[in-house]
Amino acid sequence: MKQIFNFSAGPAVLPKPVLERAQAEMLDWHGSGMSVMEMSHRGKEFTSILEKTEADFRQLLRIPANYKVLFLQGGAIAENAMIPLNLLNGKTADYVVTGAWSKRSVEDARAYGNIHVAADAEQTGFTTVPDFASWQLTPDAAYVHYCTNETINGVEFLQVPETHGVPIVADMSSHILSRPIDVSKYGVIYGGAQKNIGPAGLCLVIVREDLLAQASPLTPAVFHWKTQADNQSMINTPPTYSIYIAGLVFEWLLAQGGVEAMEQINIAKANLLYDYLDQTDFYYNPIQPAYRSRMNIPFRLRDETLNDAFLKAADLHGLLQLKGHRTVGGMRASIYNAMPIEGVQALVAFMQTFEK
Ligand SMILES: *Cc1c(COP(=O)(O)O)cnc(C)c1O
């Protein structure tokens, strides 16, 4: 098999040892004679997989005991609707718009009640995060929603704003597990798995227990957080194989030294690419340095007529899926946990050669 590096934004690269282990266990999981895909979700084998997956996830993020972890389907987009259904309860919710995904969250939430945009960076072309002090927060809002890493625009913020007791709901789809976080500062954290966790089909929701009592009666059972929390995410059949692979990724992360170790590697990887982008006139990254994403790095060629040639040559060098999102154009390198630093080194070396 030829060596490639996959820079896809999602579904995205997985750690090779995880794929090899899944391959080895494909036909016969731990002597059961069954593939994980063939197991009853209520049987003892899969129950043990789910329990270990949740325990490892809790350990990685040090999730406090008063938070539930839900294994849902429908991706982050389904949660865009389920967040207001589960939390709004007749109140107003504040939304902060810092890129394409948080903008989409506002559009999806509007059907369910009073949605107030507290800050919006669209006029900057989504190249920055509005100062926390400028956010027009509603004092008794049901929650404040934002996206901590805008996968399409490449904007990330790591600080947690002061919301004076109003629960924070954060879409962390594309950088969850890339660094330590203080879960206790949030009401809800959610993310689709196919960026930095595992295969598509699984959406993880971490929710503080006291927020489980206010869902609209219109909330579908499969998306009703309290119902799912009371039933170990098994009110219906959960995405069993995706959960199993996510569990293998969690084991791999723990073996790497957890999210603390991953953060150091992720900083080194991102610096490598940004440092190069900042010292060449051939390429550039438009994001204000304080808010540059460590995970998704959009960049452009000053001479856009070379875009196709760049992508073709990158492909030939085994550097795959570098094309930017269709709404943004240019290039984007997604360098999630599973991207080794060798991949970023190879990308920078190729970019230097192409520039010459
Ligand atoms: C990919 C992504 C989504 C959408 O996820 P789906 O699984 O397609 O629903 C939402 N938010 C962010 C930040 C994303 O990166």
Side-chain angles (χ1 to χ4, degrees), residues 74-78 101 147 149-151 171-174 192 194-195:
I77 300 269
W101 285 119
C147 174
N149 185 62
E150 290 281 1
T151 322
D171 177 357
M172 295 197 185
S173 293
S174 50
Q194 74 274 21
K195 312 292 168 49

Side-chain angles (χ1 to χ4, degrees), residues 199-215:
L202 168 66
C203 182
L204 281 157
V205 178
I206 306 169
V207 52
R208 212 174 62 209
E209 272 169 357
D210 62 288
L211 298 173
L212 290 171
Q214 58 204 57

